[in-house]
Amino acid sequence: MFPLLLLIFTLFPSSPGAQIPNQDQTKEIPIATNGQLFPWDRMRLPKIISPLHYDLSLHPNLTTLDFTGVVRIDLDVHEDTSVVILHAKKMHISGALLLAPEGVRPLQVLEYPRFHQLALMSDLVLTKGRKYEVQLEFAANLSDSYHGFYKGSYRTSSGEVRVLASTQFEATFARGAFPCFDEPAFKANFTIRIIREPRHIAISNMPKVKTVELPGDLLQDHFDTTVKMSTYLVAYIVSDFLSVSKTTQHGVKISIYAVPDKINQTAFALDAAVKLLDFYDDYFDIPYPLPKQDLAAIPDFQSGAMENWGLTTYRETGLLFDPDKSSASDKLGITKVIAHELAHQWFGNLVTMEWWNDLWLNEGFAKFMEFVSLDITYPELQVDDFFLGKCFEAMEVDSLSSSHPVSTPVENPTQIQEMFDDVSYDKGACILNMLRDFLTPEAFEIGIIRYLKRFSYQNTVNSHLWESLTNICSTDDLDEGRMKHTEFCSKRKLNSGSSKWYSGDELDVKAIMDTWTLQEGFPLVTVEVKGREVRLSQERFLRTDNPSLTEGFLWQIPLTYMTSASSSVHRFLLKTKSDVLYLPEEVDWVKFNVNMSGYYMVHYGAEGWNSIISLLHHNHTALSGNDRASLIHNVFQLVSVEKVRLDTALELSLYLSKETAIMAVWQGFGELVPLYKLMEKRDMAELENQMKSFIVDLFRGLIDQQEWSDSGSVSQRVLRSYLLLFACVRNYSPCVTRATQLFNQWRDSDGTMSLPVDITMAVFVVGARTRDGWDFMYEKYRTSLQMSVKSRMKSAMAVTTMKDKLQWMMEQSLNGEVMKTQDLPDVIVSVARNPHGFKLAWDFFRAHWHTLIQKFDLGSSTLSYLVGGVTNQYSTREKLHEIRSFFDSLTEETGSKMRCIQQSYETIEDNIRWMDRNLPLLQAWLNKHGFSQVRGFSSN
């Protein structure tokens, strides 16, 4: 909060509805750009006026790269006032008028750039309950970043560069495109008109209703009025895109827009969007409210995609699919991102969080619904195999003291941007999955439908969701038109004992879920079995050397478990610090958190881990693949907090030589590979190569089984791509020999030979090791129109040992002509993870920091990814000091207060502690098991 020193009672009278700043919290007097006192000193807008409707006319010029516009805003006045506070950023306001019942009056405009605010000063008091309009004329440059109303470009197959303009307004960038009340709770209707040249088209949230010819060979497209929505969901694009269309079973027109040369790569996305919008229409029992849904592939786009209502926007790699050249993981990724953005049309667009502190109500739900929807509509994609990875990713950041609650106070744009992280998305999805398992999928579905219906076109907070999921069968709230609801509640009445956890009267969803959303972190449950007695205790899992930071945390944990005596899932709600439960009989082993449906880790005390290790070594299929993956994850994470010895975790990992399930294999790599990645940035080649030898030997059987083809299920194909890539990067000679042979054949055909898609990364990585091979691949990258192929080539080129090529890639990506600047973060991080390039990446990162924060926004997930990717594999105090020195040299305006910087410090400190404690143990264990140079492996 930034309260005002001087209360201006005439402008904001002291009344129950007015927001009066608190004098005790004063920081500085807000002064407008003209030297006058600005009449508001808070980051958040006052609530005494709200917008009802925007009439927005825009004229972007794609030659001069600027735009002009006029906006008329209908206002609803809740308290008498003579000032209107709204947002505008880097915008020239040339005229401001008040359209009042008494006539048209000029408005004085004051600007306060620090908070991106305008004050429209009226000599007429705007009276409570009356309606007014303000009209503003404005002009600005098209942004050269990836937000607001920004310019983009692409190169045609003939080499011509073409320009377009598109929007990205979430979270706080609509104010850079037109003056507005740029907060999610200020919902309004929007009527948009766009002037363009005949060679372009314009699209927006709603269908075009007419086009009017204007002087100067210009056209103006008029779009239908939107439903009531937040400013961050407004969108428009001026381009030369082409489109393909289909209609859903519910009568909604779906169109995919792309640059002309790539319109032939849109068929898969079109079919997926039709199928998924129909699914959500039925699942949520609420008709999609717009007549159309466009999906546009934008050549320059920072994030993965954006859910603008009726006009969702995507990276080209997130929407374009070539059945002959795109991989199984491409298909999985594209389908997931479409499922995510279309879920937002209900979660986020129809029902929107009140403020950005509850962003997870949008993003956690959309991430969760990706998996719910695809499990039903695309069962062949086997998305359940990949959900667990989201929870592991969330736990990585949530185990640091710099983590934040799912719902956490935020105020300024940088803090808001920082909410778009793994906690809001992945932890949000994981705790919703836990709640669904807790309530039953049927009860959960009924509850979220109730939530959407109750709060359509409104804004919500956490408690609204919990209320909707409580007492779903109350007689005064049955939706008689909802057959599933009625059937479910009738069955529960017939069988009152069917509830798995609780008696319905005792369930307090809010009390349970507040422990998961209002405090950061997650619990570690310690299990000790003595005979039939199972002792349980909980504490916060935290990677720190300060035990006091784990105190004061308590969760209500929906525990699940199974035993050697029963494959049934047993349930227990742990509400206290410790508790005891009793088994019907003594057992050989017990496994808690079945399928890891709960967002918590488990430590097996006493002989518990030995029992688990024995089970995995002798009969690992007694547990599901997800259970095995969670055990691998938990045991290695427990090493970092000194609950388990490293040699215990490594003994458990030996069972992986028999493993084939994708999540368990993936998690094995996920825990073991980072250990040698730490060593690559230190001078310890012998131990590093022993570790690499161990991992290759552990998975050798599975690697040797892989066919160099595109056969098998999606999970098998994704796993094959990873295994062959790993084997070739690690110089496993059978892999390198085959990949070299295939690359040479591909090059001899001038790149026309059709390689199996799933093995191309392995082939490209080996081919890019020679200067000739790298140069050939770059030439193919430069001319390719297949986004997925370009992406794989770019990744392979960044694995080379040639430092001059690595440096050149970063510089080219910054330049943006051939390698897009949107891909610069990926290139820098790839170089940082390359043992031959990490020093180059760190130097480049520091030298271009100020350019990076201008292009990618303070607080953005892109910057967080960059900071972590460049720093998180260091493990020496000297490097920590160097990294601290750099970030300490920054100001708040250049990013010094970003959460990701603190996270990087904590991660390096954790790496240092791990290496100090465990290197001797690791060396001894590897020596004991005879790992040095394994057959077929070279350390070069």
Side-chain angles (χ1 to χ4, degrees):
M1 301 292 284
F2 295 85
L4 183 62
L5 176 64
L6 199 57
L7 300 180
I8 306 175
F9 289 99
T10 56
L11 300 180
F12 297 101
S14 182
S15 66
Q19 293 181 327
I20 302 304
N22 182 342
Q23 285 180 304
D24 295 334
Q25 299 175 8
T26 57
K27 288 192 177 178
E28 68 177 65
I29 300 172
I31 302 298
T33 52
N34 68 352
Q36 285 183 233
L37 181 68
F38 192 80
W40 187 248
D41 78 332
R42 298 185 179 191
M43 190 75 71
R44 299 281 297 273
L45 298 179
K47 295 180 180 177
I48 62 173
I49 287 179
S50 53
L52 298 172
H53 176 260
Y54 293 79
D55 191 294
L56 175 62
S57 295
L58 290 157
H59 182 191
N61 188 319
L62 300 193
T63 303
T64 58
L65 302 178
D66 54 17
F67 63 96
T68 58
V70 179
V71 64
R72 286 174 61 157
I73 311 173
D74 295 345
L75 302 177
D76 192 8
V77 179
H78 310 300
E79 300 292 337
D80 291 0
T81 185
S82 53
V83 64
V84 179
I85 308 290
L86 71 167
H87 289 112
K89 181 181 179 183
K90 294 184 178 178
M91 191 171 289
H92 173 67
I93 308 297
S94 56
L97 299 173
L98 174 69
L99 288 69
E102 296 84 354
V104 178
R105 313 285 277 268
L107 293 166
Q108 183 192 6
V109 180
L110 299 181
E111 298 182 47
Y112 189 48
R114 183 182 173 213
F115 291 170
H116 311 150
Q117 289 174 355
L118 299 179
L120 309 180
M121 314 291 288
S122 170
D123 57 7
L124 176 78
V125 173
L126 281 64
T127 307
K128 176 183 177 180
R130 297 179 71 180
K131 301 293 189 290
Y132 298 85
E133 280 185 74
V134 293
Q135 177 176 297
L136 298 169
E137 296 180 24
F138 57 93
N141 293 322
L142 289 170
S143 171
D144 58 3
S145 66
Y146 298 103
H147 54 259
F149 193 18
Y150 70 95
K151 65 181 173 68
S153 66
Y154 71 94
R155 192 179 297 271
T156 68
S157 55
S158 63
E160 179 191 355
V161 175
R162 294 184 181 174
V163 177
L164 63 138
S166 58
T167 58
Q168 170 62 39
F169 290 163
E170 191 175 37
T172 59
F173 302 116
R175 64 192 66 174
F178 61 97
C180 57
F181 295 77
D182 198 14
E183 294 180 7
F186 287 112
K187 289 191 171 186
N189 304 98
F190 296 82
T191 304
I192 295 171
R193 293 187 293 277
I194 296 176
I195 296 172
R196 60 176 172 86
E197 297 177 61
R199 63 194 172 114
H200 294 130
I201 64 164
I203 53 177
S204 186
N205 304 84
M206 295 297 286
K208 183 173 66 175
V209 292
K210 66 177 178 178
T211 299
V212 176
E213 291 187 9
L214 299 179
D217 196 27
L218 295 173
L219 301 173
Q220 185 180 55
D221 292 329
H222 294 232
F223 297 93
D224 210 347
T225 302
T226 71
V227 294
K228 188 179 176 185
M229 66 184 197
S230 304
T231 49
Y232 77 87
L233 295 171
V234 174
Y236 35 86
I237 300 169
V238 178
S239 69
D240 69 341
F241 288 175
L242 299 180
S243 66
V244 294
S245 302
K246 281 188 177 180
T247 302
T248 70
Q249 292 176 5
H250 296 273
V252 179
K253 183 182 179 182
I254 306 285
S255 300
I256 312 288
Y257 285 83
V259 302
D261 286 333
K262 298 172 185 174
I263 195 67
N264 62 345
Q265 299 176 47
T266 56
F268 177 76
L270 181 60
D271 289 341
V274 169
K275 182 184 284 194
L276 284 161
L277 200 72
D278 273 330
F279 167 80
Y280 287 133
D281 225 311
D282 295 332
Y283 183 90
F284 294 134
D285 196 34
I286 300 171
Y288 175 74
L290 308 186
K292 62 95 173 175
Q293 172 65 241
D294 298 335
L295 298 83
I298 311 296
D300 292 292
F301 201 78
Q302 178 179 335
S303 57
M306 178 61 207
E307 67 266 22
N308 317 300
W309 214 344
L311 174 52
T312 52
T313 48
Y314 303 77
R315 275 197 176 205
E316 289 185 323
T317 50
L319 203 61
L320 303 180
F321 182 85
D322 183 331
D324 296 323
K325 297 189 177 180
S326 298
S327 68
S329 57
D330 292 330
K331 178 181 281 191
L332 179 67
I334 289 168
T335 318
K336 282 175 62 182
V337 76
I338 294 172
H340 184 102
E341 302 314 323
L342 295 187
H344 269 310
Q345 307 302 299
W346 285 263
F347 280 103
N349 299 9
L350 184 67
V351 180
T352 313
M353 75 269 139
E354 177 77 21
W355 180 244
W356 300 105
N357 62 306
D358 281 328
L359 175 68
W360 85 278
L361 290 173
N362 284 19
E363 298 299 350
F365 257 112
K367 177 61 66 177
F368 175 67
M369 288 306 301
E370 286 176 30
F371 293 88
V372 173
S373 63
L374 296 185
D375 188 44
I376 296 168
T377 56
Y378 285 90
E380 70 275 14
L381 292 180
Q382 300 168 296
V383 287
D384 279 353
D385 286 347
F386 304 94
F387 184 77
L388 205 55
K390 297 287 108 184
C391 304
F392 294 153
E393 288 172 24
M395 286 176 163
E396 184 74 16
V397 294
D398 211 18
S399 61
L400 301 173
S401 60
S402 53
S403 185
H404 63 90
V406 167
S407 179
T408 197
V410 290
E411 194 74 9
N412 65 49
T414 299
Q415 293 168 345
I416 292 167
Q417 285 292 100
E418 287 184 318
M419 290 298 287
F420 291 80
D421 67 356
D422 286 344
V423 173
S424 295
Y425 285 71
D426 296 341
K427 180 179 179 177
C430 293
I431 63 174
L432 287 170
N433 184 59
M434 178 173 66
L435 180 60
R436 182 182 188 231
D437 184 64
F438 175 75
L439 295 174
T440 73
E442 298 84 359
F444 181 83
E445 180 182 343
I446 291 164
I448 62 172
I449 291 165
R450 174 202 274 181
Y451 169 75
L452 290 171
K453 289 186 173 182
R454 278 184 179 178
F455 298 105
S456 292
Y457 303 104
Q458 298 177 56
N459 296 82
T460 58
V461 296
N462 261 355
S463 57
H464 292 137
L465 177 60
W466 310 143
E467 290 161 12
S468 298
L469 287 162
T470 302
N471 297 325
I472 62 165
C473 291
S474 59
T475 54
D476 61 343
D477 198 43
L478 272 176
D479 175 4
E480 296 299 339
R482 178 73 181 175
M483 186 64 68
K484 192 180 293 186
H485 189 172
T486 308
E487 289 177 358
F488 174 78
C489 295
S490 299
K491 286 178 183 175
R492 277 191 53 170
K493 287 176 184 175
L494 288 170
N495 184 10
S496 59
S498 65
S499 174
K500 301 189 300 186
W501 305 83
Y502 50 82
S503 65
D505 294 337
E506 296 170 357
L507 177 64
D508 187 344
V509 173
K510 183 178 185 299
I512 295 167
M513 295 309 295
D514 278 353
T515 69
W516 296 95
T517 60
L518 301 183
Q519 60 184 352
E520 68 270 26
F522 59 90
L524 169 65
V525 176
T526 297
V527 177
E528 288 199 28
V529 181
K530 293 187 177 179
R532 291 178 49 236
E533 182 182 87
V534 181
R535 295 181 180 176
L536 305 167
S537 62
Q538 63 163 294
E539 62 188 292
R540 183 183 176 188
F541 182 91
L542 190 65
R543 290 186 284 152
T544 180
D545 55 1
N546 184 356
S548 66
L549 295 175
T550 65
E551 295 171 2
F553 289 85
L554 184 69
W555 286 265
Q556 292 196 29
I557 311 172
L559 297 178
T560 55
Y561 64 97
M562 58 188 290
T563 71
S564 58
S566 170
S567 59
S568 299
V569 178
H570 305 274
R571 303 174 184 275
F572 183 78
L573 185 62
L574 180 63
K575 295 183 176 183
T576 52
K577 202 76 175 170
S578 59
D579 210 333
V580 179
L581 60 84
Y582 293 91
L583 303 173
E585 57 190 305
E586 291 192 19
V587 295
D588 295 328
W589 54 264
V590 60
K591 167 65 172 72
F592 272 75
N593 202 358
V594 177
N595 286 320
M596 203 169 161
S597 58
Y599 186 71
Y600 59 93
M601 286 192 202
V602 181
H603 172 43
Y604 299 91
E607 290 298 305
W609 278 112
N610 290 336
S611 300
I612 293 287
I613 291 169
S614 176
L615 173 67
L616 290 174
H617 282 219
H618 295 102
N619 185 22
H620 69 281
T621 56
L623 299 174
S624 70
N626 275 4
D627 274 327
R628 303 194 299 269
S630 72
L631 288 168
I632 296 163
H633 173 267
N634 287 191
V635 75
F636 276 95
Q637 295 303 311
L638 288 166
V639 171
S640 69
V641 293
E642 296 187 276
K643 296 282 186 181
V644 172
R645 281 173 55 93
L646 176 61
D647 46 5
T648 301
L650 291 168
E651 289 294 332
L652 182 146
S653 75
L654 289 174
Y655 103 90
L656 284 164
S657 62
K658 300 180 291 187
E659 185 60 87
T660 58
I662 184 168
M663 262 322 299
V665 172
W666 217 323
Q667 202 52 41
F669 279 107
E671 299 298 340
L672 294 168
V673 168
L675 304 189
Y676 76 67
K677 296 304 289 184
L678 294 178
M679 299 171 202
E680 284 181 342
K681 291 181 169 58
R682 288 186 171 200
D683 186 17
M684 44 177 57
E686 184 179 348
L687 181 58
E688 173 193 327
N689 287 326
Q690 277 185 278
M691 188 66 197
K692 291 173 179 176
S693 300
F694 163 56
I695 301 172
V696 172
D697 196 63
L698 186 63
F699 292 104
R700 180 202 302 273
L702 194 56
I703 292 167
D704 289 344
Q705 291 171 25
Q706 300 307 306
E707 298 175 4
W708 290 66
S709 71
D710 289 336
S711 61
S713 68
V714 169
S715 290
Q716 288 169 335
R717 292 180 61 187
V718 171
L719 185 58
R720 174 189 299 124
S721 294
Y722 181 85
L723 286 167
L724 294 179
L725 172 62
F726 172 81
C728 282
V729 169
R730 291 279 57 83
N731 296 312
Y732 181 52
S733 60
C735 182
V736 174
T737 300
R738 185 71 186 275
T740 302
Q741 177 188 22
L742 287 169
F743 182 81
N744 289 337
Q745 292 172 1
W746 179 70
R747 184 171 58 178
D748 291 344
S749 75
D750 195 29
T752 60
M753 172 186 165
S754 181
L755 291 168
V757 176
D758 296 338
I759 58 99
T760 51
M761 266 303 292
V763 173
F764 289 164
V765 161
V766 170
R769 287 178 171 172
T770 68
R771 196 164 291 274
D772 287 346
W774 197 99
D775 290 341
F776 178 79
M777 194 176 305
Y778 172 72
E779 189 57 31
K780 293 303 164 190
Y781 172 91
R782 195 178 61 79
T783 57
S784 175
L785 292 172
Q786 274 78 31
M787 301 313 298
S788 58
V789 174
K790 287 175 79 84
S791 179
R792 289 195 290 277
M793 287 179 174
K794 174 172 56 67
S795 297
M797 288 188 288
V799 181
T800 185
T801 60
M802 294 177 283
K803 293 183 179 180
D804 60 319
K805 297 295 191 185
L806 297 174
Q807 183 70 29
W808 188 84
M809 280 185 75
M810 293 189 290
E811 290 168 356
Q812 282 295 308
S813 299
L814 181 64
N815 175 272
E817 284 191 20
V818 178
M819 292 188 168
K820 286 280 190 182
T821 304
Q822 67 176 14
D823 298 328
L824 176 61
D826 286 325
V827 172
I828 295 173
V829 170
S830 294
V831 174
R833 290 174 178 165
N834 183 330
H836 302 276
F838 61 88
K839 292 177 182 175
L840 300 175
W842 172 237
D843 289 343
F844 186 91
F845 174 84
R846 286 184 295 178
H848 297 284
W849 174 256
H850 294 284
T851 303
L852 292 169
I853 62 174
Q854 288 299 315
K855 198 75 179 172
F856 298 111
D857 307 328
L858 288 181
S860 68
S861 58
T862 304
L863 270 190
S864 178
Y865 165 71
L866 257 175
V867 170
V870 170
T871 65
N872 65 12
Q873 290 177 350
Y874 288 112
S875 61
T876 66
R877 289 168 181 81
E878 295 76 18
K879 200 67 186 183
L880 177 59
H881 176 73
E882 183 183 331
I883 290 167
R884 277 189 185 275
S885 296
F886 170 69
F887 287 124
D888 285 348
S889 72
L890 304 177
T891 64
E892 185 170 355
E893 289 71 28
T894 56
S896 65
K897 296 286 176 60
M898 288 193 299
R899 184 187 293 121
C900 61
I901 293 173
Q902 186 59 40
Q903 289 172 337
S904 74
Y905 297 160
E906 288 189 57
T907 299
I908 298 169
E909 288 165 352
D910 183 54
N911 292 343
I912 292 169
R913 285 193 299 271
W914 196 98
M915 297 289 265
D916 287 350
R917 293 169 185 159
N918 293 303
L919 280 183
L921 263 177
L922 179 61
Q923 181 78 73
W925 190 87
L926 290 170
N927 289 341
K928 173 185 170 184
H929 286 78
F931 292 105
S932 54
Q933 295 288 319
V934 299
R935 177 173 49 83
F937 171 80
S938 162
S939 62
N940 295 332

